[in-house]
Amino acid sequence: MDRAKTIFGNAIASADYRKACRQKEKFLKKYGDDSARNYYFKAVENPVLAPLGVKTLVLTDEPGLELPENAVIVGNIRMGYGHYRISMAIASAAHALGYEPYWLDLNSFPETTCTRIISGQNDLYSLGSRISQRSKLFNKFVWEPINSEGFRKLTYNAADQKSAELMATLLKNLPKDVPYVATHVWPAQAAIHAGFTKVVNAIPDNWPMALHLSEGSIHTVQTPSSFLGYKMLRGMDKKRQLKPMPKGTVFDVGHYIDHEFVENIEADCKARLDRMEKGAPRRYLLSIGGAGAQQKLFEDIIRHLLPQIKAGKATLLINTGDHFEVWTSIAAHIPELKTMAETHFDDYEASKAFLENDGAIRGIQVFCHKDIFAAVYVTNLLMRVCDVLLTKPSELSFYPVPKIMIHRVGGHEAWGAIRAAEVGDGTYECEKTEEVLAMLDEITNGDEILPAMCRCILRAKNAGIYNGAYEAVKLATK
């Protein structure tokens, strides 16, 4: 079945189909054809994610991988931190439900055509993100339109479907009936092309785009508005009304949140309110993405907080992921950090132990780990001990932690901030630096916003809003 010719019963124009085929041929010439090769996997321990029961699938020369009956494959790609973080939530929920999660990153096998394609596209996206933060014209006329309307077109999905055919080779020797949850559309499409029969496509964003469609998968979304947008394929073809997605192909499951977050929501919110009542410094968390976008804004935030940190009114937690160069650049621009900041680099167990010692969390604490799993999961640990997270409206919009939503990077992220503001566990999108700093001051000096967000988080938990990871796993395994 050629899924690029029709998508949910909607025919793709011949010219658009030919264009999709040309892109596939272009990728073949650029990245090579490995369709005749056989790839085999083995499962290895994952030191960081071991508490979640996670094992990582890596390539080996010999066949023989046997997965247990309760296995769940979490298909993902390293593309920024967002898809890894959602994968961790899925793995955590699977483990809590009694399954054994196996981590499969399609962007971690550089000898394969699959990884070469994904890495090439990732490099382009990261470059665009950085340029968009330096050039208002590029952001307005190129980046925002691509991320909100370009990726929304059904024809874009047709092109992706053809390209994903080249990714299926990597998966062809894995068992096809194992439950498989993908946290990016390419792992979902690759699995479908490879013949997998129990694929859930966990869609990350809150703005419906054809980019995220993987016909043959069960699609899950995190919000009611996203459900309606995908169900009706809203705006994915400006020239015609499209046929809707068939019954049973898309579900609103709630936010994809790790089990250890969900089961500790009451305790974490109580700790925040207790610190506020005792007059403890407000704990702010900056999670800085690897693309390097928004560094100037983060530097402005740090400079603004320095007097409050010195006065004992604020504590600053910074995670630069696996990008040490981002921290060195920030420190070079703000010389005071060299004497004020304590660093926690490349020792995950020590970082974890530090964060478990509540009394040590003060001043400025900086985290950076070369290991990508540690780099991402440290933010998860930090979110639980912070009072307020400052983040762009990406995958972190959906987490049960009070949030200041800073300016987006790409138009599709705008609806993440809208969701956080409506649920009440985050602010509206603060588009200007002045708005961010004013919100910081109000939360630091006031006693209304933080308790209000904590109340909203508790109400959302009781409503099941944070149960999306569990529900995605249940759909894959039932």
Side-chain angles (χ1 to χ4, degrees):
M1 178 180 180
D2 193 334
R3 299 185 182 277
K5 284 189 173 181
T6 64
I7 300 172
F8 295 114
N10 297 284
I12 299 300
S14 297
D16 292 320
Y17 177 73
R18 290 193 298 270
K19 183 178 178 181
C21 292
R22 288 195 298 271
Q23 176 173 294
K24 177 183 175 182
E25 291 301 318
K26 178 182 176 182
F27 283 166
L28 269 175
K29 292 179 181 177
K30 185 173 183 179
Y31 300 114
D33 181 0
D34 63 355
S35 58
R37 289 193 60 180
N38 282 300
Y39 295 110
Y40 303 107
F41 292 91
K42 65 178 179 179
V44 300
E45 297 295 329
N46 188 311
V48 173
L49 301 184
L52 310 182
V54 175
K55 293 183 179 178
T56 303
L57 293 176
V58 299
L59 288 178
T60 185
D61 293 331
E62 299 295 331
L65 175 68
E66 294 185 8
L67 296 178
E69 289 186 4
N70 66 340
V72 174
I73 292 178
V74 184
N76 56 63
I77 62 171
R78 165 71 203 276
M79 196 172 193
Y81 301 142
H83 301 288
Y84 257 37
R85 197 180 320 281
I86 296 171
S87 293
M88 290 173 181
I90 298 295
S92 172
H95 182 58
L97 292 171
Y99 297 99
E100 293 188 34
Y102 288 80
W103 191 277
L104 178 59
D105 176 4
L106 272 62
N107 197 21
S108 61
F109 311 108
E111 64 268 48
T112 69
T113 300
C114 174
T115 292
R116 290 169 187 159
I117 293 172
I118 293 171
S119 294
Q121 298 303 101
N122 186 28
D123 290 343
L124 286 174
Y125 190 85
S126 296
L127 177 62
S129 294
R130 291 192 296 271
I131 295 174
S132 73
Q133 298 306 295
R134 295 196 295 264
S135 170
K136 291 183 179 180
L137 288 177
F138 178 83
N139 188 58
K140 180 177 180 180
F141 294 107
V142 179
W143 198 241
E144 284 268 334
I146 287 176
N147 277 276
S148 57
E149 295 298 332
F151 294 156
R152 193 180 181 190
K153 297 177 181 178
L154 204 64
T155 52
Y156 190 94
N157 184 257
D160 258 11
Q161 288 282 10
K162 292 305 294 182
S163 299
E165 292 174 0
L166 304 175
M167 304 176 188
T169 299
L170 180 63
L171 308 181
K172 68 182 180 182
N173 290 313
L174 285 169
K176 304 302 188 295
D177 60 347
V178 63
Y180 181 107
V181 182
T183 60
H184 186 280
V185 70
W186 291 335
Q189 291 171 346
I192 292 297
H193 288 306
F196 280 67
T197 59
K198 300 176 182 178
V199 180
V200 165
N201 176 26
I203 295 174
D205 296 316
N206 196 31
W207 174 243
M209 297 187 291
L211 160 72
H212 292 302
L213 296 174
S214 175
E215 188 173 2
S217 307
I218 296 294
H219 297 69
T220 61
V221 297
Q222 301 184 83
T223 71
S225 64
S226 189
F227 167 78
L228 287 174
Y230 277 103
K231 176 67 180 177
M232 302 307 297
L233 301 180
R234 181 188 178 211
M236 296 183 189
D237 191 321
K238 301 296 185 183
K239 297 180 180 179
R240 56 175 170 157
Q241 179 62 48
L242 297 172
K243 298 177 183 178
M245 293 177 67
K247 181 180 179 179
T249 57
V250 58
F251 295 87
D252 170 19
V253 296
H255 300 186
Y256 311 128
I257 306 299
D258 315 63
H259 170 70
E260 55 272 23
F261 266 96
V262 178
E263 71 169 352
N264 287 294
I265 281 176
E266 291 86 353
D268 293 345
C269 284
K270 182 178 184 301
R272 294 180 182 109
L273 297 179
D274 286 348
R275 286 192 292 270
M276 188 187 75
E277 290 295 325
K278 294 175 182 176
R282 293 286 189 274
R283 296 178 180 178
Y284 294 105
L285 168 60
L286 297 181
S287 181
I288 302 175
Q294 297 181 304
Q295 182 172 319
K296 167 100 173 36
L297 173 57
F298 285 123
E299 290 175 1
D300 289 340
I301 291 169
I302 293 169
R303 290 190 185 94
H304 185 78
L305 284 174
L306 285 178
Q308 299 177 38
I309 294 168
K310 293 175 182 177
K313 298 178 67 177
T315 293
L316 181 59
L317 307 168
I318 302 173
N319 183 25
T320 62
D322 59 346
H323 291 272
F324 181 75
E325 71 278 3
V326 172
W327 166 245
T328 56
S329 178
I330 291 174
H333 294 158
I334 308 175
E336 289 171 280
L337 291 177
K338 294 176 183 177
T339 56
M340 292 181 64
E342 295 182 41
T343 56
H344 309 267
F345 294 163
D346 290 330
D347 190 336
Y348 175 73
E349 290 301 324
S351 296
K352 184 178 177 182
F354 173 83
L355 293 173
E356 290 171 349
N357 179 9
D358 192 74
I361 302 173
R362 61 183 184 274
I364 301 175
Q365 306 292 334
V366 184
F367 300 82
C368 185
H369 297 80
K370 292 177 183 176
D371 179 88
I372 181 57
F373 296 99
V376 175
Y377 202 76
V378 161
T379 290
N380 285 22
L381 300 177
L382 287 162
M383 280 192 285
R384 290 199 50 209
V385 301
C386 79
D387 293 324
V388 179
L389 165 69
L390 289 93
T391 179
K392 66 188 181 73
S394 57
E395 88 288 348
L396 289 173
S397 307
F398 302 91
Y399 274 74
V401 56
K403 298 174 287 287
I404 295 176
M405 310 305 298
I406 63 177
H407 188 51
R408 63 185 179 267
V409 180
H412 64 293
E413 292 183 344
W415 280 70
I418 292 171
R419 175 63 173 176
E422 289 299 317
V423 171
D425 58 5
T427 69
Y428 50 81
E429 182 181 357
C430 299
E431 298 186 6
K432 297 180 180 179
T433 302
E434 293 78 10
E435 288 184 280
V436 177
L437 303 184
M439 191 71 72
L440 275 171
D441 288 344
E442 182 58 31
I443 292 174
T444 300
N445 300 312
D447 59 2
E448 290 182 300
I449 293 178
L450 185 58
M453 288 186 179
C454 287
R455 289 194 297 271
C456 288
I457 289 170
L458 295 173
R459 283 201 298 264
K461 180 187 178 179
N462 291 334
I465 284 175
Y466 302 123
N467 289 345
Y470 303 114
E471 298 303 319
V473 172
K474 291 176 184 178
L475 284 169
T477 56
K478 72 176 184 181

